[in-house]
Amino acid sequence: MPKVMVDFYKLVNALSTALDLIGAGIRHHHIRVALIARQIATELNLSENEINEIVYAALVHDVGISTFKEKAALLNFEIKESYTHCVRGHYLLQTSTLLKPLAKIVLCHHDRWSGANKTGLQGTGIPLASRIIHLADRVDILIDDNQYILDQRELIINNIKKMAGQLFDPYLVDEFLNTSQKPSFWLDLAGGQCEKILLQQMNKQAWQGLCQKNNCKVAINLEELLNISEIFAQVIDAKSNFTHRHSKLVADVSTSMAVLLDFSEAQCQTIKIASLLHDLGKLAIPESILEKPGVLTNTEMNLMKSHTYYTYRILELVPGFEQIKEWAAYHHECLNGSGYPFGIKTEDLSTESRMMAISDIFAALVEDRPYRQGMPRHQVEKILLDKVARQHLDGQLVELLLDNYDQLLICKESV
Ligand SMILES: [Fe+2]
Ligand SMILES: [Fe+2]
Ligand SMILES: [Fe+2]
């Protein structure tokens, strides 16, 4: 299996940034929770490896959430129901060898110290990393971005203190009280520099041998990168019942097209990764727009057009993802330059990007939608050929798809 050099921290950080696109109301939640959790873990004098495991888990702790609605429910300090996203996060992380060690931490990240948890755990039986992330998560929820940070710290500290021994490990609350005395603790969270600050701290440390000092680049085989991309495809697809397998279908169709074009195994795998991530930016789009049964208003359409922009901006955070970024994010660009978000033209659209655009439209047309069933072949063919005539899609690649229509349609049955 071919390997690629990836900066593992930057990959996880990019995916964490994608998770932060979901919902309004908590900005930079994952990165801020990671920063707070790291401060508490450092107070405890844990080993570098333990601290980093906590940071990685914090960066993806809400991976079990896909919708604005689920995210909004977590804004209450004492959440009523939090177990569903913990279980889902646990399930998703277990599918990746590299992220698997974080699964149990994520499962327990809302467990109450005093017990009565669905995990059956309480007190020190709850993993320490989960207890730290739980505390950090609730501190972040209490921060009001509309108020000056240092003016609210007393209130936040008092709210946390009240819950020592109930929601939170009292020993950790003491450590939090120590570290939160410093104004810098709070200023770091509010200054818009969290990412930079955390990166500087992480550069010095390792986790599971995945980062060496000042160099987080590690050789990861493409299969593992595929597993991680599949996790995020599932997060994207879970946003809507009507597109719940869309990313997977686009990936299967574009990979099958790559095979038909005799691309190498590594190229096919890379195309699959880009396809799985092509709608990453849809995490920023409210479900009410994604599921709207009818034509979008101008404002809604303008918002919708931002999704490929976000896909691009997130994937560009990962060094080594330059091609993946373009193949994924250019799927609404057109050969004649009338597409979005960059309006680029033929000469800048690679075969892979053109293929992605075709697979995306094909998948969308054959899938059932809230307002219609999946389209039959004659309608799909008409739409695709019309787009070729208008110089939106590549004619040769559309021909390839039409010549192998039945074979590619099987992908729909297998996703
Ligand atoms: Fe959570
Ligand atoms: Fe899209
Ligand atoms: Fe799509």
Side-chain angles (χ1 to χ4, degrees):
M1 179 59 59
K3 291 194 170 197
V4 278
M5 291 302 286
V6 171
D7 183 321
F8 190 68
Y9 174 73
K10 288 191 179 163
L11 173 67
V12 176
N13 173 58
L15 297 173
S16 172
T17 307
L19 295 177
D20 280 341
L21 293 176
I22 305 168
I26 330 176
R27 287 160 59 219
H28 313 296
H29 178 63
H30 284 86
I31 196 97
R32 291 205 311 207
V33 170
L35 206 51
I36 300 167
R38 194 183 177 284
Q39 299 293 354
I40 299 169
T42 307
E43 283 289 313
L44 293 169
N45 288 322
L46 299 182
S47 70
E48 284 188 0
N49 198 54
E50 287 168 318
I51 292 175
N52 279 285
E53 182 161 83
I54 291 164
V55 170
Y56 276 97
L59 284 171
V60 294
H61 71 277
D62 280 338
V63 69
I65 284 181
S66 297
T67 65
F68 280 41
K69 199 175 153 205
E70 292 168 295
K71 189 77 170 267
L74 296 183
L75 286 170
N76 280 334
F77 183 59
E78 283 195 78
I79 324 161
K80 288 192 191 83
E81 209 296 298
S82 55
Y83 194 52
T84 310
H85 82 278
C86 298
V87 173
R88 184 165 162 76
H90 176 254
Y91 161 78
L92 290 171
L93 293 174
Q94 275 194 318
T95 60
S96 149
T97 319
L98 293 177
L99 299 178
K100 206 174 182 169
L102 311 177
K104 175 96 189 270
I105 302 173
V106 165
L107 177 69
C108 305
H109 83 273
H110 284 286
D111 275 5
R112 300 170 70 101
W113 171 260
S114 58
N117 298 306
K118 287 190 180 160
T119 56
L121 303 174
Q122 66 173 35
T124 52
I126 303 164
L128 175 63
S130 308
R131 282 180 267 147
I132 293 174
I133 291 171
H134 186 198
L135 175 56
D137 175 81
R138 294 297 96 186
V139 170
D140 187 53
I141 291 296
L142 289 171
I143 296 174
D144 178 353
D145 286 329
N146 298 314
Q147 273 187 52
Y148 182 56
I149 191 77
L150 293 181
D151 290 344
Q152 31 179 333
R153 63 175 168 164
E154 282 314 311
L155 186 65
I156 295 174
I157 287 171
N158 285 336
N159 276 322
I160 295 293
K161 265 205 277 196
K162 272 188 235 164
M163 287 299 174
Q166 294 177 52
L167 276 188
F168 310 123
D169 176 344
Y171 177 62
L172 292 184
V173 171
D174 285 344
E175 299 300 332
F176 164 70
L177 296 180
N178 287 339
T179 193
S180 64
Q181 288 310 314
K182 300 169 282 188
S184 63
F185 171 89
W186 300 97
L187 294 168
D188 278 351
L189 298 173
Q193 302 283 318
C194 297
E195 215 162 292
K196 194 179 124 196
I197 295 166
L198 192 62
L199 180 63
Q200 278 167 354
Q201 295 170 348
M202 293 299 287
N203 271 344
K204 299 174 199 148
Q205 297 173 338
W207 176 60
Q208 307 259 336
L210 283 168
C211 285
Q212 279 87 46
K213 275 193 189 305
N214 298 317
N215 180 15
C216 283
K217 280 208 167 177
V218 282
I220 296 181
N221 71 40
L222 276 171
E223 177 110 18
E224 180 52 37
L225 213 47
L226 256 175
N227 290 342
I228 295 175
S229 306
E230 261 159 16
I231 291 178
F232 280 82
Q234 290 188 62
V235 179
I236 302 158
D237 291 354
K239 264 188 91 74
S240 165
N241 276 336
F242 297 102
T243 54
H244 70 291
R245 290 179 303 189
H246 173 76
S247 303
K248 178 89 170 55
L249 180 55
V250 173
D252 286 355
V253 173
S254 53
T255 313
S256 301
M257 287 177 77
V259 171
L260 288 168
L261 287 170
D262 280 333
F263 281 22
S264 70
E265 193 194 343
Q267 278 175 305
C268 291
Q269 299 269 37
T270 314
I271 285 171
K272 192 165 190 178
I273 291 166
S275 315
L276 287 166
L277 299 173
H278 81 281
D279 273 340
L280 198 54
K282 274 200 181 152
L283 293 175
I285 312 296
E287 301 82 63
S288 55
I289 294 182
L290 293 178
E291 296 193 329
K292 186 173 175 184
V295 184
L296 299 180
T297 64
N298 253 354
T299 310
E300 290 165 342
M301 193 57 207
N302 284 337
L303 205 59
M304 190 68 175
K305 283 183 176 175
S306 67
H307 82 276
T308 40
Y309 175 80
Y310 286 125
T311 298
Y312 186 95
R313 291 296 171 217
I314 286 165
L315 295 179
E316 79 175 346
L317 297 172
V318 191
F321 266 34
E322 287 76 17
Q323 282 189 326
I324 290 177
K325 168 193 73 185
E326 293 189 354
W327 298 350
Y330 290 170
H331 69 270
H332 289 293
E333 299 292 347
C334 297
L335 297 179
N336 64 3
S338 65
Y340 65 84
F342 299 109
I344 50 175
K345 290 186 182 170
T346 311
E347 55 275 20
D348 293 316
L349 288 170
S350 63
T351 303
E352 292 85 350
S353 300
R354 298 174 193 203
M355 228 157 56
M356 199 78 69
I358 295 169
S359 313
D360 183 52
I361 294 173
F362 173 77
L365 296 177
V366 300
E367 283 164 354
D368 295 336
R369 287 289 189 261
Y371 46 93
R372 61 150 173 85
Q373 291 289 298
M375 289 182 190
R377 174 170 182 154
H378 70 274
Q379 268 179 297
V380 174
E381 200 168 323
K382 187 174 174 303
I383 291 172
L384 289 174
L385 290 174
D386 179 56
K387 286 184 182 292
V388 172
R390 284 157 57 207
Q391 290 184 292
H392 288 186
L393 298 177
D394 183 303
Q396 282 183 344
L397 290 172
V398 167
E399 204 178 306
L400 176 80
L401 182 139
L402 295 177
D403 286 348
N404 297 278
Y405 194 94
D406 293 337
Q407 184 192 331
L408 295 171
L409 194 63
I410 292 172
C411 299
K412 189 192 165 194
E413 313 311 323
S414 57
V415 291

